[in-house]
Amino acid sequence: MNDLTRRDFLAAAAALPLAQAPPTARPEPVKAGSRPGSAAPDLPYLSLTEASALIKTRRLSPVELTQAILDRVDRLDARVGAFITVTRDAALHAAREAEQDIARGKYRGPLHGIPFGVKDTHYTKGVRTTANTPVLLDFVPDFDATVVARLKGAGGVLVGKTKLPEFSFGSAGEGGAFPDAKNPWNLARTPGGSSSGSAAALAAGLLTVATGGDTSGSIRNPATFCGVVGMKPTYGRVSRRGIIVISWSLDHVGPMTRTVADNAMLLNVIAGHDAADDTSAPLPVPDYTRALRRGVRGMRVGIPKPEQFDGYHADVMRTFHDALGVFRRLGANVVEIDLPATADVVDDVQAIVRIAEAASYHEPFLATKADRYGLTSVRRDVEAGSLVTAVQYLRAQRVRAKFTQELSESFGTLDVFLTPGMPAPAGERSDVKQPFRRMFNACGFPALVLPMGFSTSPAGLPLGLQIAAKPFDEEAIYAAAQAFESATEWHARRPAI
């Protein structure tokens, strides 16, 4: 982030008060190998909350859980295509080590012995990191990304590296080093992008938890389309060290899970200052699980005015209005707000910044490996970024700083801000120019998507609810998201795959 934008952003963040959280609420233990309300063992679909409680009390073996996940990958991933690399032997070795450590009383916390996957933009020591491009097909890092190191340090078991469009550009497209992932709810539909493999793997029960990257909505888009929970934290909350770059001032790394509580647990592990990342915020990290029982009674919930939804799919608007009804019944105060005038151009601003910064990162590749790009559209976008002038880039950053300040003022009277996750179901054409996704990359505010219903035409596709908040107030988002999830059952549905 350039100095002007980062200074204004941090100043705005510091000026906004954060809500306080109540004491931690511990989850109730569940029987090994089964989900509440289900008599059949279902290890691959155990939540992190469930699995960690069972592993901690030694009623579930990390080896048993990891093997169940790997067996399911063997059965289903040829159809889903969620993974680029599966680290089978290393995963089983890590699971055995976790089991032995726990038996010796060296339990590290809720990630200990838990199978996780990371987007294949995350450096993994000794394991190829391809970004799904022939340009990096043989790249094997000699260190772990900070996020990966923290997950391993917490005792997590790396199962593999998940799919994405080439270099994380776009939502989906043929021509990278590997085929696209598929949407487990309908294999003919897109899973979204760019964190497509992580979302598809979670929906299909191929991972317990995962991570993704978000530059233009790339966690929240696939979370919406695949019916899972995806958080883009505040810019600077999670280290980007060891992450393949699209745009250093827009890129975010965040947790992807099947439940809100799991998401909060995962962010607890990966968040925090990293001296090796000069954009990492030197701020204390709260225990996000403390916000899960807060509820929304009296919460100030903002929504856009109706004209902002022109062109949205009827099913999206139906389920969004139903979601607002849930919040009202739970005691929240829902109010329409005016977005800043700069919201109308923030998508264009974000696009200019993204391709200009991408061109800088890709310059050595274009000089030595230009013929190895799998998608001509990716190479075209990167080359176009080199044509952005300094005047255009700086003008875009000034508009971006103005938008960030104005949005801070709009959010000053709110606790959270709600929109649909996407304007249409997966694979349905949408020409809506809406700022609700990229705007939170441009300003760096946190935003989460969780399931809010399913489409009827076409039938059976997940639809998502986006919840955003002030900078570094992920707690308010988790409070609102947990209240909605607890009052609905959308997160409990599974694809028929």
Side-chain angles (χ1 to χ4, degrees):
M1 186 176 286
N2 72 2
D3 291 341
L4 174 65
T5 305
R6 182 168 175 77
R7 182 172 65 250
D8 289 350
F9 171 70
L10 292 176
L16 294 171
L18 302 184
Q20 299 299 311
T24 302
R26 295 184 179 275
E28 293 295 324
V30 297
K31 293 182 179 180
S34 64
R35 303 188 74 253
S38 171
D42 195 12
L43 292 181
Y45 274 117
L46 280 179
S47 69
L48 168 60
T49 306
E50 295 165 345
S52 63
L54 294 169
I55 288 173
K56 181 180 181 180
T57 55
R58 298 179 63 190
R59 289 182 289 155
L60 175 64
S61 156
V63 176
E64 180 186 5
L65 178 59
T66 301
Q67 188 64 64
I69 291 284
L70 290 170
D71 289 347
R72 190 167 174 87
V73 170
D74 287 344
R75 291 197 307 273
L76 296 182
D77 198 49
R79 298 172 64 199
V80 178
F83 288 92
I84 287 177
T85 300
V86 176
T87 54
R88 177 181 308 280
D89 292 343
L92 289 171
H93 177 75
R96 286 190 289 269
E97 285 193 334
E99 184 171 292
Q100 292 165 5
D101 284 347
I102 293 167
R104 290 194 290 261
K106 298 179 179 180
Y107 181 69
R108 301 187 201 175
L111 261 291
H112 206 171
I114 297 295
F116 73 92
V118 297
K119 186 177 180 179
D120 200 30
T121 53
H122 295 26
Y123 282 27
T124 41
K125 184 177 181 179
V127 179
R128 66 179 180 176
T129 300
T130 73
N132 192 19
T133 176
V135 175
L136 296 175
L137 196 55
D138 300 319
F139 174 53
V140 179
D142 60 3
F143 69 94
D144 284 326
T146 297
V147 166
V148 176
R150 287 178 175 173
L151 289 167
K152 288 182 178 179
V157 175
L158 177 63
V159 170
K161 312 290 292 291
T162 57
K163 289 272 183 72
L164 64 150
E166 184 177 19
F167 275 121
S168 296
F169 275 70
S171 181
E174 299 294 342
F178 303 93
D180 288 348
K182 304 295 190 297
N183 191 323
W185 293 92
N186 183 330
L187 295 175
R189 298 271 173 166
T190 177
S194 63
S195 304
S196 52
S198 291
L202 289 165
L206 308 182
L207 287 171
T208 305
V209 295
T211 63
D214 194 313
T215 304
S216 302
S218 297
I219 286 174
R220 292 159 290 148
N221 174 340
T224 296
F225 286 172
C226 293
V228 300
V229 181
M231 165 70 91
K232 183 201 76 64
T234 309
Y235 184 83
R237 180 60 97 186
V238 176
S239 173
R240 296 181 303 104
R241 178 179 180 266
I243 306 295
I244 292 173
V245 175
I246 297 181
S247 166
W248 56 81
S249 73
L250 297 170
D251 291 348
H252 299 65
V253 179
M256 302 181 72
T257 59
R258 284 187 292 266
T259 72
V260 173
D262 288 3
N263 206 273
M265 278 190 184
L266 193 56
L267 187 58
N268 278 349
V269 173
I270 64 174
H273 183 244
D274 178 10
D277 176 3
D278 62 6
T279 65
S280 178
L283 299 174
V285 178
D287 177 357
Y288 293 111
T289 64
R290 292 172 65 88
L292 297 176
R293 301 291 178 133
R294 187 191 301 172
V296 296
R297 183 164 298 281
M299 183 176 279
R300 299 162 298 175
V301 175
I303 60 172
K305 292 192 171 177
E307 57 267 23
Q308 293 286 334
F309 296 118
D310 287 348
Y312 272 60
H313 193 282
D315 284 344
V316 171
M317 294 313 300
R318 169 182 55 80
T319 54
F320 181 61
H321 288 306
D322 288 347
L324 297 180
V326 171
F327 278 93
R328 291 187 178 101
R329 288 195 298 275
L330 293 174
N333 300 314
V334 180
V335 296
E336 296 177 357
I337 68 166
D338 289 310
L339 290 173
T342 44
D344 291 337
V345 297
V346 73
D347 274 15
D348 296 331
V349 164
Q350 195 265 2
I352 290 170
V353 173
R354 178 179 63 84
I355 64 171
E357 293 181 356
S360 175
Y361 174 77
H362 282 261
E363 185 177 20
F365 298 145
L366 291 173
T368 60
K369 300 180 179 180
D371 60 337
R372 296 189 64 184
Y373 283 77
L375 283 170
T376 56
S377 61
V378 173
R379 178 177 169 181
R380 183 178 64 244
D381 281 356
V382 171
E383 290 176 334
S386 66
L387 302 177
V388 174
T389 68
V391 171
Q392 291 170 325
Y393 179 78
L394 292 174
R395 184 183 297 124
Q397 291 284 32
R398 283 196 294 272
V399 175
R400 179 184 180 186
K402 188 173 190 298
F403 169 73
T404 301
Q405 181 59 42
E406 290 175 347
L407 192 66
S408 295
E409 294 168 0
S410 296
F411 275 29
T413 59
L414 301 177
D415 294 303
V416 293
F417 178 70
L418 305 186
T419 73
M422 292 291 288
E428 292 297 290
R429 181 174 176 81
S430 173
D431 295 323
V432 174
K433 184 180 179 183
Q434 50 83 25
F436 303 139
R437 191 170 79 248
R438 296 185 183 96
M439 66 186 284
F440 294 114
N441 294 96
C443 68
F445 292 13
L448 171 146
V449 158
L450 77 162
M452 72 169 180
F454 286 80
S455 64
T456 57
S457 178
L461 295 176
L463 304 172
L465 174 68
Q466 179 173 249
I467 307 176
K470 307 176 185 75
F472 301 104
D473 196 7
E474 288 85 359
E475 291 167 286
I477 293 175
Y478 283 129
Q482 179 66 27
F484 178 78
E485 183 183 271
S486 298
T488 59
E489 52 80 37
W490 308 118
H491 65 286
R493 294 196 182 183
R494 303 286 177 254
I497 190 169

